[in-house]
């Protein structure tokens, strides 16, 4: 009944630098304030537990099969005639200015509120269906973005410029149809992010036997206690960790330097905060063969190392490395994404051959990465709080020649 949606947008800007009170300013060359608001819609929802899109979520859908030579019809997906578009309203406020004909600044704030979120809402088993597509819940994404570009030195034979940007993201759930929804290692609760970890908490290693220990909640006293029973911890001990998969800050910075005919460009990227699950590392420690060949095996518990930080490695008992907050690693990093070094050859002799100039250059992509995660876990390949089981980004080195003809 609501297959069609109407969405709109509007914007306004004020060229402050065109006002009379700035017409004679030698400091502010350009200033602009912009405000935009718009709405968008989303109708993408998938069948429960699949990556297949449900294109007719508003209708009951049946699977036609064959049984003993007869056609059968089975309800495959329960429809919802009341389902409607997921709606989002976005507000963007931006201020841009240029100072001294050399410094460009911009500052922006954004806020996006999404309502009538599309989910497969679980149903009671007595209904005969696991879930039904519905609209419920809302959340807000907001943050700041800032950018600066500065031509620090402008000479005939020497130029230096800098650039930098930074952005933040805050995600908050503002409405849910029930108190909480568990989703993998996260729990959706009003007032928190959709990527706040809700996991089993590690209590370290038992020095007597090397078993992994976990925190759980005593059902009688409601106090936090230590157990070696992972099933108990998973059922009764999960808790919010005050850790999220969303970074606090992301951004980049760089510089371009030109001296005579030489040029050098450097571009960095960084991230501060955010946590990811190092699946590969702990799955290796929980393996059942060749267990002594893995990194940090010397940090695991043995009779001769009872104060080790990691539980014992036992091929006959691989459950010592069950998923807990011990698997989380900080995803902060600093990477030197690109180095570009060049030399431009420009002489009168070349012009005789209709060549304006020749530029020789070399570039290095992914030149350097400094990060807090364990070696082998590239935080740039992090996928929603989890390692991606992929090789890190390749470092590439290239050389080239540009010939400009006149």
């Amino acid at each position: 009944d609501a297959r069609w949606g109407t969405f709109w947008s509007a914007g306004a800007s004020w060229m402050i630098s065109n006002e009379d009170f700035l017409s004679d300013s030698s400091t502010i060359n350009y200033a602009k304030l912009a405000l935009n608001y718009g709405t968008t819609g989303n109708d993408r929802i998938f069948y429960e537990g699949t990556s297949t899109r449900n294109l007719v979520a508003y209708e009951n859908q049946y699977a036609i099969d064959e049984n003993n030579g007869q056609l059968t019809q089975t309800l495959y997906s329960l429809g919802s005639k009341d389902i409607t578009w997921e709606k989002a309203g976005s507000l963007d406020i931006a201020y841009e200015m240029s100072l001294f004909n050399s410094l460009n600044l911009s500052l922006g704030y954004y806020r996006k509120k999404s309502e009538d979120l599309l989910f497969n809402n679980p149903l009671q088993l007595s209904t005969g269906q696991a879930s039904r597509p519905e609209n419920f819940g809302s959340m807000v994404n907001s943050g700041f973005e800032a950018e600066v570009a500065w031509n620090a030195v402008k000479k005939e034979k020497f130029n230096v410029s800098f650039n930098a940007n930074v952005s933040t993201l805050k995600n908050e759930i503002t409405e849910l149809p029930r108190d909480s929804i568990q989703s993998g290692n996260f729990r959706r609760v009003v007032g928190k992010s959709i990527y706040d970890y809700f996991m089993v908490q590690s209590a370290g290693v038992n020095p007597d036997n090397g078993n992994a220990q976990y925190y759980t909640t005593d059902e009688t006293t409601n106090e936090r206690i230590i157990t070696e029973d992972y099933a108990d911890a998973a059922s009764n001990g999960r808790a919010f960790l005050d850790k999220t998969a969303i970074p606090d800050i992301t951004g980049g910075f760089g510089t371009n330097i030109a001296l005579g005919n030489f040029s050098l460009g450097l571009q960095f990227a960084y991230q501060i905060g955010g946590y990811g699950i190092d699946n590969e590392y702990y799955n290796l420690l929980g393996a059942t063969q060749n267990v002594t060949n893995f990194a940090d095996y010397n940090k695991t518990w043995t009779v001769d190392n009872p104060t080790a930080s990691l539980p014992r490695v036992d091929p006959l008992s691989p459950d010592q490395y069950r998923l807990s907050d011990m698997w989380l690693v900080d995803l902060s990093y600093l990477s030197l994404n690109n180095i570009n070094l060049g030399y431009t050859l420009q002489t009168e002799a070349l012009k005789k051959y209709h060549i304006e100039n020749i530029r020789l250059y070399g570039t290095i992509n992914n030149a350097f990465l400094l990060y807090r995660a364990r070696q082998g876990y590239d935080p740039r390949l992090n996928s929603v709080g989890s390692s991606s089981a992929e090789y890190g980004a390749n470092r590439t080195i290239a050389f080239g020649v540009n010939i400009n003809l006149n």
Side-chain angles (χ1 to χ4, degrees):
D1 293 337
R3 285 182 287 173
W4 316 110
T6 302
F7 308 99
W8 59 273
S9 64
S13 63
W14 177 24
M15 293 293 295
I16 304 174
S17 54
N18 289 346
E19 299 295 335
D20 292 339
F21 58 83
L22 286 179
S23 60
D24 297 327
S25 175
S26 59
T27 302
I28 301 177
N29 311 117
Y30 172 83
K32 176 183 176 182
L33 179 64
L35 174 66
N36 296 282
Y37 185 84
T39 62
T40 57
N42 172 50
D43 64 348
R44 293 174 63 86
I45 188 170
F46 300 88
Y47 293 108
E48 181 73 24
T50 76
S51 58
T52 303
R53 186 176 173 185
N54 186 347
L55 297 174
V56 285
Y58 48 86
E59 292 184 350
N60 290 340
Q61 299 168 56
Y62 298 87
I64 306 299
D65 206 345
E66 182 268 339
N67 184 18
N68 197 26
Q70 300 294 322
L71 289 177
T72 62
Q73 179 177 276
T74 305
L75 182 60
Y76 176 75
S77 177
L78 188 62
S80 176
K81 296 194 68 176
D82 296 328
I83 199 169
T84 184
W85 286 75
E86 182 178 300
K87 306 174 186 67
S90 299
L91 170 69
D92 293 286
I93 303 174
Y95 179 70
E96 302 174 359
M97 68 184 313
S98 177
L99 305 175
F100 308 108
N101 289 315
S102 62
L103 181 62
N104 296 319
L105 304 170
S106 67
L107 176 64
Y109 169 78
Y110 66 90
R111 187 179 189 273
K112 179 180 180 181
K113 183 175 183 180
S114 300
E115 299 178 301
D116 296 329
L117 301 180
L118 292 170
F119 284 101
N120 289 298
N121 194 17
L123 301 175
Q124 295 187 8
L125 295 179
S126 58
T127 64
Q129 290 293 310
S131 64
R132 178 172 61 185
E134 294 181 4
N135 296 96
F136 62 85
S138 62
M139 69 178 180
V140 174
N141 289 306
S142 61
F144 292 92
E145 297 176 333
E147 186 173 354
V148 58
W150 179 32
N151 294 318
V153 180
K154 291 191 294 183
K155 304 291 184 180
E156 182 178 357
K157 295 290 186 178
F158 182 46
N159 292 276
V160 179
S161 64
F162 299 97
N163 65 84
N165 64 81
V166 62
S167 64
T168 67
L169 168 63
K170 179 184 178 183
N171 173 268
E172 181 181 1
I173 299 171
T174 54
E175 182 185 353
L176 284 176
R178 52 184 184 274
D179 291 340
S180 65
I181 299 175
Q182 189 69 29
S183 178
N185 299 310
F186 312 105
R187 172 167 284 192
R188 286 32 167 159
V189 175
V190 171
K192 290 188 175 292
S193 160
I194 62 173
Y195 293 123
D196 281 354
Y197 286 105
F198 187 83
M199 299 175 62
V200 172
Q201 289 181 286
S202 170
V205 181
N206 187 332
D208 297 327
N209 56 22
N211 286 343
Q213 298 182 134
Y214 310 97
Y215 287 105
T216 187
T217 302
D218 188 288
E219 296 181 358
T220 304
T221 64
N222 205 34
E223 295 180 350
R224 299 289 281 176
I225 60 175
I226 294 176
T227 181
E228 294 180 5
D229 184 353
Y230 183 83
D232 180 24
S235 299
N236 305 311
R238 292 176 184 264
F240 281 108
L241 308 176
D242 291 328
K243 294 181 178 179
T244 177
I246 301 175
D248 299 321
I249 296 174
T250 58
F253 59 92
T255 183
N256 290 287
I257 302 172
L259 177 61
N261 292 334
F262 288 93
S263 64
L264 173 66
L266 304 173
Q267 195 65 41
F268 296 82
Y270 65 89
Q271 174 174 299
I272 300 175
Y275 288 84
I277 297 175
D278 195 346
N279 291 300
E280 283 65 44
Y281 176 82
Y282 283 101
N283 285 334
L284 287 174
L285 288 170
T288 58
Q289 57 185 352
N290 298 325
V291 294
T292 62
N293 296 333
F294 302 144
D296 293 343
Y297 177 77
N298 61 329
K299 298 180 182 178
T300 62
W301 184 95
T302 63
V303 174
D304 298 326
N305 187 21
T307 59
S309 59
L310 295 174
R312 62 187 172 91
V313 174
D314 188 347
L316 301 179
S317 181
D319 61 350
Q320 298 299 329
Y321 288 90
R322 302 291 295 275
L323 182 60
S324 71
D325 65 338
M326 184 171 64
W327 292 38
L328 293 178
V329 294
D330 191 335
L331 298 180
S332 301
Y333 72 84
L334 171 66
S335 67
L336 177 51
N337 286 351
N338 180 268
I339 303 174
N340 189 306
L341 178 64
Y343 177 79
T344 301
L345 181 63
Q346 186 174 19
T347 65
E348 293 297 326
L350 290 175
K351 293 183 178 181
K352 296 180 180 180
Y353 301 96
H354 302 285
I355 298 176
E356 184 67 25
N357 59 61
I358 298 176
R359 184 173 184 272
L360 309 173
Y361 67 91
T363 62
I364 303 176
N365 292 316
N366 189 31
F368 173 77
L369 176 64
L370 177 66
Y371 57 102
R372 300 189 65 178
R374 297 179 184 89
Q375 183 177 1
Y377 188 162
D378 190 336
R380 297 170 300 179
L381 302 180
N382 172 67
S383 176
V384 193
S386 184
S387 56
S388 59
E390 298 178 2
Y391 288 108
N394 292 328
R395 177 179 295 117
T396 59
I397 302 175
F399 299 94
V401 178
N402 289 333
I403 301 176
N404 296 320
L405 305 178
N406 58 20

